Structure formats: structure tokens, C-alpha cells
């Protein structure tokens, strides 16, 4: 097979991951070109914004022609250390390889779920970037936040915290509602783009597709998500159940989640690409 890497549309932190994918494909005996005209396209993210906006035309062309696209993306397990390598999307919309994995890789990554807990006082709404493909066919982010607040308040009197995405801030949107408070995302010092995911005193989390839903579930805090979230299989399926939260078993889900992200060294060995080739 031949792979076509669109490096020019990668984020500033994408070069080592593209390098690793190039090396991994070569290690498996595949050909690699950069910004070429043929081969299976490899792009960075599905966030059509800034440096990455050029990926949109590649993605839409491949969709129209039923051609595959490999998407490299920032990871959430160990942000800046592990990276997603998925086929035809990100999060649960992508294919990462077979499910039903054992716990070996989760153990290696020191991924463990904490016991479910229900002692928090607040419901957390986590916003996300509305320029992403993950937000297609959705209302404006501001409308979604307001609708979600009103939906929650129709079923519970619990106070709500709104934590905006750092690049989609929706200033003061919460002020029109009683018992709703803003919590600013805190950038972690020494990181490129990592922010504190604080679940202290959180009863449950509402997150459409972004990482807070996944980390909430790992921390033992139930989460409501969309079907495109990697946390969907262990999430709250309806906000009408906000006062009667489920307690699904999470071990198999965690085992499979551990196989959605890889280190640069693993990518350079072609390990994640091996998981995808049966679908290419």
C-alpha cells in the first residue's frame, strides 16, 4: 500500500507523529509520499481551523469517493505522549482496530477505573470546539449549552458548572440562569495544550464527544455523552436519568479504550497501522 501524508496541514505538535507514522508504514513494507496525489491520505485531526483547515477538502473528497482516510490526532490518555491513529474519523466514529482486548495494554498505561461515586454536588457541562467535524449538524455551541442547562434543570435542582473549551469560551453565557456557575479551564504549566480536568465535587459530567466525558468515567463520575463519544458504551443514555445514574461495568471498555492511542515509538513500529490494514 501507499500512504500520502498531508504534513503541511498538521498542528504545530504534529511533526513527530507524522515522522513516526512514516517510519511505521515503511517498517511494514508500505510506500509513503508527502503531499502527493495518490495513496491513502493521512491527515491531522478533523478540526477545520487554522493550519488544519486544508484537511477539509481532502476529507470531503474522500467521503464523496468512498475512499479511506487515516486521521492522526492528539490523545487523551497521556496528552502529549499518546496519540490517536484512527480510520475514517476520530473518537467513536473512527475504527481503531478489533474490540474485545485484554487488560495488558491498559495495565501498561496504568489505566485503572476508580469506583463509581455519587457524592458530588455539581453537574458539570464541558464545552468543546465547535469548528470540529465532531460538531457537524449540531446547533451553535451557545444554543447547545443553553438547551442542555434547561434540560438538566427540568429534571433536577442540582447546581450546574459550565466549563468552556479554552478556544470556544462563550463569555458570560451562564449568567442568565440561576444556580449555574462558570469554571475557567486551567492550563497545565509546561504543557503544549493540556488543561486540568477537575472532577472535584462533581456528581456527573455532560460532554458531547470530548475528553472530559472519558476522564469523568475513569474517575468514577458518571457522564452523559453522544453516541460519537468514546465513553458512550458506559455513559448515561438520557438526562431524564440524572437522578438515577447507572453503574455499568467498565473494564472491557477500558481495555478497548487503551488500544485507541499509541506512543510515538509504537507508531514508528507500525503497531497501530497493523490494527487498521484489514479495513484498508
Amino acid at each position: 500500500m501507499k500512504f500520502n501524508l498531508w504534513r503541511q496541514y498538521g498542528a504545530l505538535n504534529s511533526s513527530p507523529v507524522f515522522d513516526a507514522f512514516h517510519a511505521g508504514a515503511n517498517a511494514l513494507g508500505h510506500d509513503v509520499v508527502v503531499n502527493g496525489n495518490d495513496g491513502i491520505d493521512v491527515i491531522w485531526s478533523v478540526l477545520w481551523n487554522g493550519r488544519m483547515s486544508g484537511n477539509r477538502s481532502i476529507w470531503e473528497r474522500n467521503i464523496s469517493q468512498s475512499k479511506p482516510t487515516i486521521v492522526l490526532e492528539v490523545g487523551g490518555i497521556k496528552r502529549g505522549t499518546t496519540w490517536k491513529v484512527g480510520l475514517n474519523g476520530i473518537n467513536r466514529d473512527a475504527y481503531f482496530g478489533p474490540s474485545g482486548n485484554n487488560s495488558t495494554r491498559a495495565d501498561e498505561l496504568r489505566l485503572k477505573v476508580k469506583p463509581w461515586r455519587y457524592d458530588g454536588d455539581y453537574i458539570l457541562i464541558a464545552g468543546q470546539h465547535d469548528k470540529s467535524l465532531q460538531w457537524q449538524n449540531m446547533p451553535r455551541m451557545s444554543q447547545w449549552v443553553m438547551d442542555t442547562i434547561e434540560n438538566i434543570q427540568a429534571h433536577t435542582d442540582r447546581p450546574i458548572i459550565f466549563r468552556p473549551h479554552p478556544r470556544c469560551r462563550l463569555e458570560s453565557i451562564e449568567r442568565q440562569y440561576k444556580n449555574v456557575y462558570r469554571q475557567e479551564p486551567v492550563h497545565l504549566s509546561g504543557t503544549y495544550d493540556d488543561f486540568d480536568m477537575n472532577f472535584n465535587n462533581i456528581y456527573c459530567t455532560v460532554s458531547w464527544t470530548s475528553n472530559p466525558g472519558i476522564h469523568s468515567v475513569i474517575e468514577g463520575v458518571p457522564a452523559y455523552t453522544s453516541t460519537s463519544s468514546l465513553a458512550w458504551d458506559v455513559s448515561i443514555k438520557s438526562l431524564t436519568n440524572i437522578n438515577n445514574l447507572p453503574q455499568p461495568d467498565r473494564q472491557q471498555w477500558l481495555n478497548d479504550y487503551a488500544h485507541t492511542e499509541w506512543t510515538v515509538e509504537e507508531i514508528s513500529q507500525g503497531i497501530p497501522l497493523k490494527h487498521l490494514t484489514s479495513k484498508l
Side-chain angles (χ1 to χ4, degrees):
M1 283 184 283
K2 179 185 286 187
F3 295 92
N4 183 25
L5 276 56
W6 290 95
R7 301 182 62 116
Q8 70 192 70
Y9 302 134
L12 292 174
N13 58 344
S14 66
S15 287
V17 187
F18 273 117
D19 288 343
F21 187 92
H22 193 149
N26 285 162
L28 297 178
H30 303 301
D31 296 325
V32 178
V33 295
V34 176
N35 302 338
N37 295 316
D38 60 350
I40 297 168
D41 290 309
V42 182
I43 66 173
W44 185 265
S45 184
V46 290
L47 179 60
W48 317 136
N49 194 48
R51 290 170 57 93
M52 295 168 284
S53 59
N55 289 317
R56 183 170 192 163
S57 61
I58 299 165
W59 173 269
E60 291 179 348
R61 179 198 66 204
N62 289 348
I63 292 292
S64 68
Q65 298 177 5
S66 299
K67 294 175 62 177
T69 307
I70 290 179
V71 182
L72 309 179
E73 171 77 333
V74 172
I77 295 176
K78 293 184 178 181
R79 197 172 180 90
T81 299
T82 57
W83 310 85
K84 290 187 174 73
V85 181
L87 180 62
N88 295 333
I90 65 169
N91 299 332
R92 194 169 176 268
D93 293 337
Y95 175 76
F96 294 101
S99 58
N101 298 283
N102 63 32
S103 65
T104 300
R105 180 163 176 76
D107 293 340
E108 289 172 350
L109 292 171
R110 297 182 181 178
L111 267 179
K112 294 189 180 298
V113 289
K114 296 181 180 179
W116 288 116
R117 60 180 174 86
Y118 306 95
D119 56 348
D121 292 322
Y122 293 88
I123 295 171
L124 171 66
I125 299 175
Q128 61 190 78
H129 205 309
D130 58 1
K131 297 282 193 300
S132 173
L133 178 68
Q134 291 278 284
W135 203 253
Q136 68 176 346
N137 303 320
M138 292 290 289
R140 297 189 311 276
M141 182 64 66
S142 57
Q143 187 64 54
W144 178 80
V145 171
M146 292 187 292
D147 289 346
T148 301
I149 289 171
E150 292 166 14
N151 194 358
I152 292 170
Q153 290 183 334
H155 299 290
T156 182
D157 294 328
R158 291 179 182 272
I160 297 169
I161 289 174
F162 170 57
R163 185 189 300 161
H165 188 282
R167 288 182 288 279
C168 188
R169 296 184 49 77
L170 303 181
E171 298 287 357
S172 306
I173 192 172
E174 74 287 350
R175 291 185 181 177
Q176 60 190 298
Y177 296 99
K178 293 182 179 180
N179 224 17
V180 180
Y181 310 93
R182 173 176 288 253
Q183 183 184 83
E184 296 293 346
V186 178
H187 181 256
L188 296 179
S189 178
T191 69
Y192 174 73
D193 65 348
D194 202 1
F195 289 79
D196 179 29
M197 283 193 238
N198 176 12
F199 299 102
N200 292 336
N201 205 20
I202 299 300
Y203 169 74
C204 74
T205 300
V206 178
S207 170
W208 193 248
T209 60
S210 58
N211 283 325
I214 299 167
H215 286 269
S216 181
V217 167
I218 291 173
E219 288 293 313
V221 177
Y224 169 84
T225 73
S226 79
T227 57
S228 293
S229 169
L230 280 169
W232 167 255
D233 294 320
V234 289
S235 74
I236 306 164
K237 300 303 187 285
S238 171
L239 288 175
T240 60
N241 297 326
I242 202 80
N243 294 311
N244 186 25
L245 299 177
Q247 302 181 48
D249 183 84
R250 292 162 289 166
Q251 188 58 55
Q252 186 59 63
W253 167 81
L254 189 76
N255 295 347
D256 292 335
Y257 175 57
H259 286 76
T260 64
E261 298 183 18
W262 308 88
T263 65
V264 164
E265 181 179 356
E266 291 169 328
I267 297 170
S268 69
Q269 295 170 12
I271 295 174
L273 183 53
K274 285 182 181 178
H275 290 267
L276 305 182
T277 50
S278 66
K279 298 289 186 179
L280 294 173

